[in-house]
Amino acid sequence: AQSVTQPDIHITVSEGASLELRCNYSYGATPYLFWYVQSPGQGLQLLLKYFSGDTLVQGIKGFEAEFKRSQSSFNLRKPSVHWSDAAEYFCAVGGGSTLGRLYFGRGTQLTVWP
Amino acid sequence: DSGVTQTPKHLITATGQRVTLRCSPRSGDLSVYWYQQSLDQGLQFLIQYYNGEERAKGNILERFSAQQFPDLHSELNLSSLELGDSALYFCASSTTGSSGNTIYFGEGSWLTVV
């Protein structure tokens, strides 16, 4: 069965610190992987995606993610967090016969201390 | 701005009532998706349309229905509303609706059932 696990419900970091949000997936086909961000009262904004090729992908706002097939992971990273990065982050997986639908994790809430 | 437009942004209605949520996809996108986001269930896929035809169905209740019109806009109809239907309903769109397409989300319609 397809599923996405984000082990950390809530993460707090200081502004300027590095960040890593974890994502593990279970999928029966070649996965397409996504990270979305949701600010309070806002929709879901695409940060980055992985379809194939280089396993380290760059996204918007200085985020990057690394696909590790052996670990079924797609962790999101940022070297230096800004206060405006405080939001909820969702990992999602799709591909194969799912016809474009995505399976989402439960999200990780990021708090940034000044 | 993702280019996906949803109306209304907020809606408060009573139990037993019926509401219609409207979505305009990004220009050129043929596929529309509806998702429900609630505290209990997280982000759940409801249904997908492609060029007017239903493509995939997820955890959509029988009280809910959707359609995609010739101009590609979509409507999600929710009837016999219950308190538990209170949620944020997202519309999303993609170019073809096949795996590997990037899915762009609107800002959502907040539904409160009282």
Side-chain angles (χ1 to χ4, degrees):
Chain A
Q2 299 91 336
S3 67
V4 176
T5 301
Q6 294 179 245
D8 305 305
I9 296 173
H10 194 178
I11 284 183
T12 300
V13 299
S14 298
E15 191 170 20
S18 63
L19 172 69
E20 182 170 29
L21 302 182
R22 296 183 290 164
C23 172
N24 293 97
Y25 66 89
S26 174
Y27 206 68
T30 300
Y32 299 124
L33 295 154
F34 305 81
W35 275 98
Y36 287 86
V37 61
Q38 184 179 24
S39 299
Q42 300 297 312
L44 292 165
Q45 181 182 23
L46 179 68
L47 282 177
L48 48 77
K49 61 189 178 187
Y50 172 78
F51 288 171
S52 65
D54 192 345
T55 56
L56 184 64
V57 294
Q58 303 297 320
I60 63 172
K61 304 185 179 186
F63 285 93
E64 66 178 26
E66 186 172 11
F67 170 59
K68 293 185 177 180
R69 184 185 300 276
S70 62
Q71 297 178 21
S72 297
S73 69
F74 188 57
N75 294 348
L76 181 71
R77 300 194 293 251
K78 187 169 184 177
S80 178
V81 170
H82 188 262
W83 63 267
S84 61
D85 294 324
E88 189 153 23
Y89 292 79
F90 293 91
C91 180
V93 66
S97 63
T98 62
L99 299 175
R101 69 169 285 185
L102 297 179
Y103 295 85
F104 283 86
R106 293 304 299 267
T108 296
Q109 182 68 47
L110 174 66
T111 298
V112 181
W113 289 104
Chain B
D1 183 2
S2 67
V4 179
T5 303
Q6 291 187 246
T7 57
K9 293 194 185 311
H10 299 274
L11 189 57
I12 301 174
T13 190
T15 55
Q17 295 298 305
R18 172 190 170 96
V19 299
T20 297
L21 309 180
R22 182 188 169 98
C23 169
S24 294
R26 294 189 323 151
S27 177
D29 283 359
L30 297 178
S31 193
V32 168
Y33 310 78
W34 286 97
Y35 282 80
Q36 179 194 60
Q37 185 180 34
S38 65
L39 286 176
D40 291 345
Q41 302 293 326
L43 271 159
Q44 295 282 310
F45 168 74
L46 295 180
I47 198 163
Q48 177 194 5
Y49 280 81
Y50 174 74
N51 205 20
E53 300 289 327
E54 183 183 303
R55 201 98 187 268
K57 191 177 271 193
N59 302 321
I60 188 167
L61 300 172
E62 285 192 9
R63 299 184 285 109
F64 296 178
S65 65
Q67 53 184 329
Q68 186 180 26
F69 295 87
D71 67 353
L72 301 178
H73 91 271
S74 178
E75 292 180 356
L76 178 66
N77 299 295
L78 314 174
S79 62
S80 302
L81 285 167
E82 302 175 359
L83 296 178
D85 298 326
S86 296
L88 180 57
Y89 291 85
F90 282 114
C91 174
S93 72
S94 66
T95 307
T96 67
S98 299
S99 299
N101 273 188
T102 299
I103 298 178
Y104 294 92
F105 284 77
E107 294 193 354
S109 292
W110 280 99
L111 173 65
T112 301
V113 182
V114 297

